[in-house]
Amino acid sequence: MHIPKQNTAGIEVLPFEEALTLSSGPQTGYDVDKWLYVPPVYDEYRYILGTKGKHPLICVGINPSTAEPDHLDPTLQSAQRIALHNGYDSFLMFNVYAQRATRPDDMEKEMNPWMHGENLKAFGHLLSLCGEKPAVWAAWGAIIEKRAYLPACIRDMLNVGRERGAVWYHAGPVSKAGHPHHPLYLKADTLLEPFDTEAYLSRLTY
């Protein structure tokens, strides 16, 4: 379990580009030819974790927990299985907010605007890896309701996706509020379905 030590404004958070550069060098803890892990060390935040391939699926959760290369948590194990079943050769896990916290109730109460901006740069980078129409799986569940700033973060992320031609999907039933299903308890053979992000945005409250 990961419990944040303090708010992210009080710790050193690397800019995304710097963290990406560090991740591209040799690593002692995992195979860089297999994994994309930014930053390449376990810290209080994470921009990206996933496998490298020619046909990746970007999976979007709310915030990172304890997962690392070769040590995926149950949520990421499920995400990887579903990505492979739907014909993708790899998955790239991104999160609406970059702070690590196993329990969403432990997330910081106020958004760190600077870290959010760097996280959006990470999302843009992932989209650039996936061709003209990046496939993105909305998988944040009702956890979005845990913090008042999360809907605004999702709005910003969807705007970046729109600029890059992202094609959005969900897996499993959406909630009564329209939130896409979380991956954890989905069956491995669950199929992706189109997700109407414009309709979803119209239902979000900020």
Side-chain angles (χ1 to χ4, degrees):
M1 178 173 290
H2 189 99
I3 300 174
K5 297 177 181 178
Q6 63 184 96
N7 290 342
T8 57
I11 63 173
E12 181 182 8
V13 177
L14 292 177
F16 170 69
E17 291 295 340
E18 184 176 340
L20 180 64
T21 298
L22 288 175
S23 72
S24 64
Q27 306 296 329
T28 58
Y30 64 94
D31 183 357
V32 295
D33 291 329
K34 177 182 178 182
W35 294 96
L36 179 60
Y37 185 39
V38 185
V41 293
Y42 191 96
D43 211 326
E44 291 292 308
Y45 66 101
R46 190 187 77 215
Y47 293 121
I48 299 169
L49 172 59
T51 52
K52 296 181 178 180
K54 296 182 179 180
H55 185 45
L57 174 66
I58 300 171
C59 179
V60 182
I62 279 291
N63 72 298
S65 181
T66 60
E68 299 179 88
D70 297 315
H71 299 284
L72 299 182
D73 60 24
T75 294
L76 268 68
Q77 291 174 19
S78 180
Q80 184 176 43
R81 287 193 296 266
I82 291 172
L84 295 176
H85 178 75
N86 279 270
Y88 298 91
D89 67 355
S90 51
F91 84 106
L92 297 164
M93 191 72 201
F94 175 76
N95 290 279
V96 174
Y97 201 64
Q99 183 189 33
R100 281 192 195 261
T102 299
R103 298 178 302 201
D105 287 335
D106 290 331
M107 293 174 66
E108 54 196 0
K109 299 293 194 300
E110 302 293 333
M111 180 181 71
N112 179 336
W114 181 86
M115 187 176 71
H116 172 55
E118 294 303 307
N119 200 41
L120 290 177
K121 293 177 184 178
F123 186 53
H125 175 74
L126 286 183
L127 295 172
S128 74
L129 301 177
C130 301
E132 293 184 359
K133 295 183 178 181
V136 188
W137 172 14
W140 48 81
I143 301 171
I144 183 182
E145 299 176 359
K146 290 289 185 178
R147 292 290 181 265
Y149 56 81
L150 291 173
C153 292
I154 286 180
R155 178 202 60 205
D156 294 343
M157 182 193 65
L158 292 177
N159 286 338
V160 172
R162 187 184 302 111
E163 294 170 358
R164 302 294 184 94
V167 179
W168 288 85
Y169 299 93
H170 73 95
V174 298
S175 72
K176 291 182 179 180
H179 303 315
H181 203 289
H182 191 275
L184 185 56
Y185 298 112
L186 293 176
K187 294 181 179 179
D189 60 356
T190 302
L191 296 177
L192 297 175
E193 302 177 56
F195 183 58
D196 188 341
T197 56
E198 296 304 319
Y200 182 68
L201 274 176
S202 71
R203 301 179 67 173
L204 283 180
T205 56
Y206 303 100

